[in-house]
Amino acid sequence: MSASKSSSDNARNVLMDKIVSLCKRRGFVFQSSEIYGGLNGCWDYGPLGAELKKNLKDYWWRRMVRDRDDVVGMDGAILQNRSVWQASGHEKTFSDPLVDCKETKARFRADQIFYTPAIIGGDSHGYVSITESPSMEEEAQQKIRKIQKKGGIKGEIAPLDLKPLTEATAEERAQIPSPNATEPGTLTEPRQFNLMFKTYVGPVEDDKNVTYLRPETAQAIFVQFKNVLETSRVKPPFGIAQIGKAFRNEINPRNFTFRSREFEQMEIEYFCRPEDGMRLLDEWLETRLKFYEEIGIPRDKLHILDVPEKERAHYSKGTYDIEYEFPFGVQELEGVAYRTDYDLTKHQEHSGKPLEYFDPNTKEKFIPHVVEPSAGVDRTVLALICQAFDEETVTNDKGKEETRTVLRFAPRMAPIKCGVFPLLKNKPELVAKAREVQEMLRVHMNVFYDEGGAVGRRYRRQDEIGTPFCVTIDFDTLGENGDETKDTVTVRERDAMTQERIAIKDLLGYLLERIS
Ligand code: GAP
């Protein structure tokens, strides 16, 4: 492995460790059930994480529902009749290929283990395998060099042909070592593992009462399509939007909150005429890319994957994955999929209820086609934190250099919009004025009052959680240095660390203009 590559991998890990530790230290994200040893794949959002997540969901709802005439919202139940999951195909096919390692007892998703023949100097020396990572090629090369060194083998290493384990033949599998095992051949044959959490409705735990925690919010939208159509004065093209929890019993939850077992989705099912599907797919992709820019995720950190036909769901005529450059690799934030009329057709077939739309203009009935932008709340929150995280060297009040950790959130996403500080906590007039300013602002935004420690320290605490503005009430505010500065405050901006003197009467307008 080249030195620069390994050091950049290392830097990425260090960066991720810093982000995870900040999230815990400042109350963004905690391990779920932590005092009992945690529950793998589940996370709890602390006070700041809950605010950040709420800002994201509220802004999505505002831009995708309230600002548009053609999208309405709904809030479906997590538990649905089992027939919903039978009709949608989830009960039969919503599964991942699972393999066990007989030696280490580890479990993997077969499509996330990659293998390659170790060809050195033209001769075969077995296989190496690795789990998915940002630098799979380099890791595989490193493993092959180890074989070379151990066997005293000389010669060039042939170009690597990395393939997922799902593509291995039984013969190959017998020779592929599991990623952490010593001997090859310890991986079982992949078997399909259904990701839905099964549960029983009512007191009797028998087959008749089985259902599942929803693995996506989308199905309730399809099932309620007719009710919404008949009650909301909408007609195709129109969308139904929903935000809510989804549950998947992921084989390998990982990368902090990125792949969880309990998570939230923000989904729109946009119903249209068949001939408009492909055009609307492209339009929705643009709409969604713009949204990410508006929340502070720049276009150049996003990758658009035009999913090839063989990797798309069989019913999809086109799918784009919107991916973000996380420190642990480029990974999916959202899928924008043209699902044709598959879902409504399936529910019509299984329920026996008509789900067509009668177009009064053309006097024809048709099953609407669907374009679906489906985003993950938790993944977007994680992207917001990764994008915002920054460290810079600054000189402190005592002339010493120190590291300033700052979350450069777009102000509209920041959990706290404004810190309010009296210069000194033992001066009642300063405290009273600061409380007055806090009361005035808190009706309109999330503010945080802090009177502890030097003002510089208080600024740093707010920088670390991404508060875009801090307001300090000082002796000028009280009029002790003349009428000119009476009833003015210092407003300090997080990124440039610049300070401005603003009249209290103009403060609310000043802040609202910058945070909304
Ligand atoms: N209705 C379509 C659907 O559910 P998906 O690609 O399986 O499509 C959509 O999921 C989004 O939900 C993903 O892009 C991702 O942001 C989020 N998501 C899916 N599985 C997740 C998991 N295990 N943990 C966190 N987010 C997940």
Side-chain angles (χ1 to χ4, degrees):
M1 189 189 299
S2 74
S4 66
K5 185 75 186 175
S6 79
S7 66
S8 71
D9 274 359
N10 203 23
R12 279 196 287 250
N13 290 340
V14 170
L15 173 61
M16 207 51 218
D17 287 349
K18 282 183 180 171
I19 289 171
V20 173
S21 121
L22 172 71
C23 281
K24 170 154 195 208
R25 184 161 37 83
R26 297 307 312 267
F28 282 91
V29 182
F30 306 124
Q31 190 185 18
S32 173
S33 322
E34 192 189 78
I35 61 169
Y36 293 103
L39 181 63
N40 199 4
C42 299
W43 301 93
D44 293 338
Y45 287 81
L48 294 177
E51 291 287 345
L52 177 59
K53 204 176 179 193
K54 187 170 182 313
N55 290 344
L56 170 66
K57 291 191 286 183
D58 287 352
Y59 192 67
W60 185 90
W61 194 265
R62 183 179 129 194
R63 299 293 287 130
M64 298 298 119
V65 183
R66 299 234 169 108
D67 284 357
R68 302 179 61 117
D69 291 329
D70 61 344
V71 179
V72 291
M74 71 166 269
D75 186 10
I78 285 173
L79 298 176
Q80 303 277 326
N81 187 311
R82 181 182 189 174
S83 306
V84 170
W85 309 115
Q86 288 167 333
S88 66
H90 282 84
E91 190 173 87
K92 264 214 178 112
T93 60
F94 193 61
S95 50
D96 279 338
L98 167 74
V99 287
D100 288 298
C101 171
K102 288 181 260 182
E103 183 187 324
T104 64
K105 309 287 176 232
R107 290 205 142 153
F108 303 99
R109 255 175 70 173
D111 57 341
Q112 289 175 349
I113 297 186
F114 293 80
Y115 71 100
T116 182
I119 309 283
I120 310 168
D123 292 331
S124 166
H125 295 273
Y127 289 85
V128 294
S129 66
I130 53 160
T131 44
E132 202 182 27
S133 83
S135 57
M136 295 200 298
E137 294 275 335
E138 292 295 335
E139 283 176 31
Q141 286 273 1
Q142 197 188 27
K143 280 196 170 178
I144 295 175
R145 276 201 206 97
K146 262 193 194 156
I147 298 174
Q148 192 173 33
K149 227 167 148 188
K150 216 161 123 195
I153 308 157
K154 293 216 159 41
E156 288 288 304
I157 295 167
L160 301 186
D161 178 21
L162 279 165
K163 286 192 199 151
L165 191 69
T166 37
E167 288 181 19
T169 62
E171 276 165 7
E172 280 177 323
R173 214 175 35 253
Q175 299 170 58
I176 299 169
S178 146
N180 300 311
T182 45
E183 293 299 321
T186 59
L187 288 167
T188 60
E189 194 177 333
R191 61 180 195 281
Q192 289 303 322
F193 170 76
N194 195 295
L195 299 182
M196 287 196 296
F197 283 96
K198 196 176 194 173
T199 189
Y200 298 91
V201 179
V204 184
E205 292 197 2
D206 68 12
D207 205 50
K208 283 203 310 288
N209 295 328
V210 164
T211 194
Y212 306 92
L213 304 190
R214 68 180 176 200
E216 61 172 18
T217 66
Q219 294 305 321
I221 299 181
F222 296 127
V223 172
Q224 294 296 355
F225 160 75
K226 214 47 195 268
N227 275 335
V228 175
L229 187 70
E230 286 169 3
T231 56
S232 327
R233 297 177 58 91
V234 279
K235 54 184 191 335
F238 81 100
I240 306 178
Q242 181 171 210
I243 299 178
K245 289 268 187 183
F247 303 82
R248 297 184 189 177
N249 198 0
E250 296 284 355
I251 296 168
N252 260 329
R254 61 193 169 142
N255 289 329
F256 196 26
T257 56
F258 180 82
R259 179 165 290 119
S260 308
R261 289 185 166 136
E262 175 175 342
F263 55 94
E264 270 185 280
Q265 293 183 314
M266 305 181 282
E267 298 199 293
I268 300 166
E269 307 305 323
Y270 197 79
F271 301 94
C272 63
R273 298 188 65 91
E275 60 272 27
D276 295 332
M278 288 309 276
R279 175 179 57 80
L280 287 165
L281 174 70
D282 286 346
E283 279 183 28
W284 271 106
L285 173 67
E286 277 311 312
T287 303
R288 297 300 305 141
L289 290 170
K290 189 161 168 283
F291 174 85
Y292 286 108
E293 277 187 281
E294 289 172 11
I295 61 170
I297 298 180
R299 189 82 167 237
D300 63 3
K301 291 291 284 290
L302 293 173
H303 296 226
I304 298 152
L305 176 70
D306 186 351
V307 181
E309 191 177 350
K310 69 177 181 14
E311 288 170 30
R312 291 198 299 262
H314 64 90
Y315 48 79
S316 171
K317 279 204 180 150
T319 299
Y320 295 113
D321 282 351
I322 302 177
E323 303 174 320
Y324 173 72
E325 283 179 26
F326 286 99
F328 45 83
V330 176
Q331 297 276 357
E332 178 186 328
L333 276 184
E334 167 162 356
V336 185
Y338 173 26
R339 301 174 69 115
T340 63
D341 58 356
Y342 177 80
D343 306 273
L344 289 182
T345 304
K346 286 283 160 206
H347 286 301
Q348 175 166 290
E349 269 169 33
H350 279 73
S351 67
K353 304 275 164 25
L355 294 176
E356 293 129 328
Y357 169 70
F358 175 74
D359 185 339
N361 298 326
T362 58
K363 307 269 184 279
E364 56 165 346
K365 263 189 193 169
F366 65 95
I367 293 196
H369 280 222
V370 168
V371 174
E372 176 197 66
S374 170
V377 174
D378 309 76
R379 286 188 185 179
T380 311
V381 165
L382 185 57
L384 287 173
I385 296 174
C386 292
Q387 182 65 34
F389 185 87
D390 194 14
E391 287 180 321
E392 62 179 12
T393 305
V394 290
T395 311
N396 69 16
D397 311 344
K398 299 189 179 89
K400 277 208 174 138
E401 286 202 335
E402 63 177 24
T403 303
R404 179 172 91 113
T405 303
V406 49
L407 288 181
R408 300 188 193 277
F409 288 128
R412 59 164 62 100
M413 287 295 113
I416 294 171
K417 308 297 185 201
C418 183
V420 178
F421 313 153
L423 185 65
L424 299 170
K425 69 171 173 197
N426 49 9
K427 204 63 184 145
E429 301 91 315
L430 289 175
V431 170
K433 199 73 189 168
R435 288 292 190 189
E436 218 177 90
V437 170
Q438 179 195 15
E439 289 307 312
M440 174 187 76
L441 297 178
R442 76 184 331 165
V443 187
H444 304 272
M445 65 190 77
N446 195 17
V447 293
F448 185 80
Y449 175 86
D450 186 4
E451 56 180 28
V455 170
R457 287 276 130 228
R458 286 182 253 170
Y459 285 152
R460 290 285 185 278
R461 287 202 288 266
Q462 293 305 312
D463 290 344
E464 208 185 30
I465 58 172
T467 305
F469 299 99
C470 290
V471 167
T472 304
I473 286 80
D474 56 19
F475 294 106
D476 285 357
T477 319
L478 301 181
E480 292 194 7
N481 297 316
D483 277 353
E484 211 169 291
T485 52
K486 187 169 186 297
D487 288 326
T488 64
V489 291
T490 302
V491 180
R492 184 258 197 188
E493 195 273 334
R494 175 197 68 202
D495 293 341
M497 295 189 283
T498 45
Q499 302 195 0
E500 268 185 85
R501 204 78 208 169
I502 306 277
I504 292 178
K505 67 174 174 38
D506 300 330
L507 182 62
L508 179 62
Y510 175 96
L511 292 173
L512 284 179
E513 195 184 311
R514 287 161 177 79
I515 64 169
S516 52

